[in-house]
Amino acid sequence: MMNPTPRQATAGARQRGLLIIWFMQFVTLGIFFALTRLMGVPVRAGNDNLRWFLGVFGGATFALSFMLKHILLGRAVEQGRPDYITTAYVIAFALCEAAAIFALVNYFISGMTMYLLFILAAVGLLFHFPRRAHFEAVTADTAQPAIKSTLR
């Protein structure tokens, strides 16, 4: 078995770091949901506009997480920058968690749980699982030949 090159080892370390962050995002998502189950907030009427605003904004952050991740991953491959991959994933994680935060805020304001936002946050985090292929695409050793030829 061959030893990994320094660039490949760095890719593995970056992916492991993102896996830790990804897992902890799930833990906080579980804590947010548990808070809605454990704390008895009475249902308050008259906050329908705010509820809709938080629901729409939570769904928008979910959708935005996929768009920004796609843009930043493309830029990372284009420019050969593995740090953009890390940034893309962290931003995607944070935007998915924002949907859960909006659901939690809605619960504390209105007393009604928005299960859809918690589900969207969990599904978004599942879809944003850090893939090693993204790092390998950017950090692959592209050895430059000593003689540049036009015959390739």
Side-chain angles (χ1 to χ4, degrees):
M1 186 155 108
M2 297 176 58
N3 289 334
T5 64
R7 290 184 71 136
Q8 291 169 338
T10 303
R14 284 181 184 270
Q15 186 202 18
R16 283 189 299 276
L18 279 176
L19 282 173
I20 292 168
I21 295 169
W22 179 80
F23 177 74
M24 292 312 296
Q25 293 288 332
F26 265 110
V27 170
T28 58
L29 181 64
I31 290 170
F32 292 159
F33 184 74
L35 282 174
T36 64
R37 301 286 44 144
L38 297 174
M39 297 189 70
V41 176
V43 177
R44 296 180 193 108
N47 290 324
D48 289 338
N49 290 337
L50 183 61
R51 257 192 32 212
W52 279 104
F53 174 76
L54 290 172
V56 169
F57 205 59
T61 59
F62 169 78
L64 188 63
S65 73
F66 288 97
M67 292 187 320
L68 286 178
K69 180 181 149 193
H70 178 72
I71 291 169
L72 287 172
L73 287 178
R75 193 172 293 166
V77 170
E78 177 184 296
Q79 296 180 3
R81 302 272 310 262
D83 55 326
Y84 283 5
I85 296 172
T86 305
T87 303
Y89 275 107
V90 170
I91 288 173
F93 297 161
L95 287 172
C96 283
E97 187 177 17
I101 291 172
F102 290 131
L104 186 66
V105 167
N106 176 61
Y107 177 72
F108 286 132
I109 291 174
S110 70
M112 299 176 73
T113 306
M114 293 184 114
Y115 293 108
L116 179 62
L117 289 182
F118 283 117
I119 292 169
L120 280 178
V123 167
L125 284 174
L126 285 174
F127 278 124
H128 290 310
F129 182 81
R131 293 185 6 203
R132 188 172 180 106
H134 290 136
F135 291 103
E136 289 175 351
V138 173
T139 60
D141 285 331
T142 54
Q144 296 293 329
I147 300 173
K148 296 187 180 195
S149 172
T150 58
L151 297 176
R152 288 199 205 168

